[in-house]
Amino acid sequence: MKGAGTAIRAARANRLQTSLNLALRSALASIDVTIPAVAVLSVVLHQPITLGLGEKDEILLTLTLFISIIALGTGRTTVLQGIVHLAIFAVFLFFAVVP
């Protein structure tokens, strides 16, 4: 929580890049602790690890990663690329509500 508070203070001081870096670092630190803990529990309890994604979700995730590579690989993004991302997100929300 300390990193998140610092990120908020940086955002209030109008230091956007610092704020984003701190927020992402906080999130990454949480993930870095969670994933190894779950992996160790999986080994200790002899249980397989599953992502919990269905076929549709895996396809949408792969599509999102592919579109992100195209959009960010050029160094510039367009409104159309943003609309494509929003459309994929809308499809994800639709499938989350209507399985």
Side-chain angles (χ1 to χ4, degrees):
M1 186 65 185
K2 183 179 179 181
T6 307
I8 292 170
R9 282 193 299 278
R12 286 186 177 160
N14 203 21
R15 295 191 331 244
L16 180 62
Q17 187 65 49
T18 303
S19 175
L20 286 174
N21 289 345
L22 289 168
L24 290 173
R25 189 181 323 154
S26 257
L28 189 59
S30 297
I31 292 168
D32 284 348
V33 171
T34 305
I35 292 175
V38 170
V40 167
L41 281 174
S42 167
V43 171
V44 169
L45 299 175
H46 304 292
Q47 296 290 326
I49 297 177
T50 58
L51 284 175
L53 295 176
E55 281 186 33
K56 289 183 263 186
D57 294 330
E58 287 179 5
I59 291 170
L60 288 172
L61 178 62
T62 304
L63 182 61
T64 301
L65 292 173
F66 179 71
I67 297 296
S68 296
I69 289 169
I70 291 173
L72 300 174
T74 60
R76 297 182 70 194
T77 57
T78 64
V79 173
L80 180 60
Q81 291 167 334
I83 291 171
V84 170
H85 276 284
L86 289 175
I88 294 170
F89 182 61
V91 170
F92 170 76
L93 287 178
F94 175 77
F95 283 131
V97 174
V98 182

